Amino acid sequence: MTLQVIGLCRFSYPAIGGFQVEHETTEDRIAYLYEKARLEERFRLMEAVALPCIKAQTDEDFELIIVIGDQFPKEHSDRLHDITADIPQIRIIAEPPRPQREVMKEIFNKARKDPSVPCLQFRHDDDDAFAVDFIERLRAASHDAQALTAQHKAVNFDWNKGIVAEFGPNGIASTDIFRQLYPAAMGMQIRGGSPLTIMNFAHEKIARFMPVVSYPEAQMFVRSHNSSNDSRQKPVKKVPVQPIDFEQTQMFKDRFAIDIDNVSRIFTEK
């Protein structure tokens, strides 16, 4: 049986909750998320980092739902549709501000073609990337873990080797990292008949609730550090990065479909 694979990406969606940066009102959150300079950075990161790996997946049988707010300005909605138009796996939906986990769980469950059969789910941040063979590896992991998935409502698959990178007009600077249960390059199998979703759980706490199968192999994700990281708006330790060399440049292109010349062009454009 070929399992349905569903991914979800929030693009400046003004959820109630779900952010580490707090705002007193939904209007304050919308103003923060839709601020011109912040949105420009998010668009550039999505175009240079988050979308290329989706387009280049070796297994093309999946869906990625991008969630925006129903008050997202038309010019930005049009731009988002334009930069995703050539990726058939992407579907964009607009939702009013609602509690974060409630709306995301609802979207996942509505996307299931047949809730009575198992499915695979993943999250994708709009400034991160996962390897071009992530969907292929996720399916293989599910196949290998059939005895485990038969016993549990949910089983998590975690690829824990990745890269922290900064992107800009000068290209890419990076460093390798090992991080367990990071949202990029992490997937989950949900049992048929279960309403659970990958969004039911805080990613770093998933191991408290289900078996986790870890794969310390290859470099499977890129974690972007930038000025609008929600998790880095509070004081955090800076991760030192170095400009990438020729070999690393080729690795970014081969593993994540991230082209250094394309990055420089996107971040240089006015």
Side-chain angles (χ1 to χ4, degrees):
M1 178 177 59
T2 301
L3 297 186
Q4 182 184 6
V5 180
I6 312 165
L8 187 144
C9 175
R10 300 166 296 168
F11 189 68
S12 296
Y13 170 68
I16 300 170
F19 289 90
Q20 295 189 37
V21 176
E22 297 293 339
H23 299 95
E24 291 189 6
T25 67
T26 300
E27 290 72 23
D28 289 342
R29 174 155 293 170
I30 288 174
Y32 166 75
L33 292 175
Y34 296 174
E35 191 271 326
K36 183 178 179 180
R38 180 192 178 279
L39 262 185
E40 183 60 39
E41 181 179 48
R42 303 311 289 187
F43 267 112
R44 294 185 184 200
L45 287 164
M46 173 169 266
E47 189 173 356
V49 180
L51 292 181
C53 69
I54 298 298
K55 191 174 181 179
Q57 285 299 303
T58 55
D59 183 337
E60 300 177 345
D61 185 12
F62 66 96
E63 178 181 38
L64 176 65
I65 302 168
I66 298 179
V67 186
I68 59 174
D70 64 350
Q71 299 175 52
F72 202 50
K74 184 179 184 302
E75 63 178 299
H76 300 311
S77 178
D78 289 346
R79 181 177 179 182
L80 182 61
H81 280 83
D82 286 344
I83 65 174
T84 59
D86 62 345
I87 307 176
Q89 292 87 354
I90 288 179
R91 176 161 59 98
I92 301 169
I93 64 174
E95 291 283 342
R98 287 198 284 152
Q100 153 79 357
R101 296 203 185 278
E102 173 189 296
V103 65
M104 300 305 159
K105 289 187 290 183
E106 181 181 294
I107 290 168
F108 265 120
N109 283 317
K110 282 184 176 180
R112 294 179 71 168
K113 295 175 181 176
D114 184 351
S116 69
V117 301
C119 72
L120 292 164
Q121 300 180 359
F122 67 92
R123 296 170 55 175
H124 188 41
D125 285 349
D126 60 12
D127 58 349
D128 290 349
F130 48 69
V132 296
D133 58 353
F134 169 67
I135 301 297
E136 181 181 343
R137 287 179 183 245
L138 180 59
R139 286 194 192 280
S142 169
H143 180 270
D144 292 345
Q146 289 180 76
L148 194 60
T149 57
Q151 299 176 56
H152 300 274
K153 289 183 179 180
V155 174
N156 195 75
F157 303 105
D158 177 39
W159 286 267
N160 47 38
K161 284 186 178 179
I163 298 164
V164 165
E166 295 178 3
F167 301 90
N170 295 323
I172 306 170
S174 75
T175 189
D176 292 348
I177 62 167
F178 175 90
R179 182 171 175 182
Q180 295 173 301
L181 299 174
Y182 185 68
M186 182 177 76
M188 186 179 293
Q189 182 162 331
I190 308 295
R191 176 187 287 175
S194 171
L196 289 176
T197 78
I198 196 170
M199 292 300 297
N200 282 64
F201 311 96
H203 62 88
E204 71 276 7
K205 298 178 182 178
I206 281 174
R208 301 183 186 183
F209 303 102
M210 69 188 70
V212 175
V213 182
S214 295
Y215 295 88
E217 59 188 33
Q219 289 171 308
M220 286 293 290
F221 67 85
V222 176
R223 159 68 160 147
S224 168
H225 278 187
N226 52 76
S227 67
S228 53
N229 286 130
D230 177 59
S231 61
R232 296 178 60 79
Q233 296 304 302
K234 299 175 182 178
V236 292
K237 184 178 179 180
K238 184 173 176 61
V239 177
V241 294
Q242 296 292 328
I244 62 175
D245 59 22
F246 176 81
E247 185 176 327
Q248 292 168 316
T249 296
Q250 194 61 47
M251 182 274 297
F252 265 86
K253 192 170 185 177
D254 292 343
R255 291 296 296 149
F256 305 104
I258 297 175
D259 183 272
I260 191 169
D261 292 332
N262 191 46
V263 169
S264 297
R265 176 187 61 80
I266 289 172
F267 279 89
T268 302
E269 291 175 344
K270 299 296 183 181

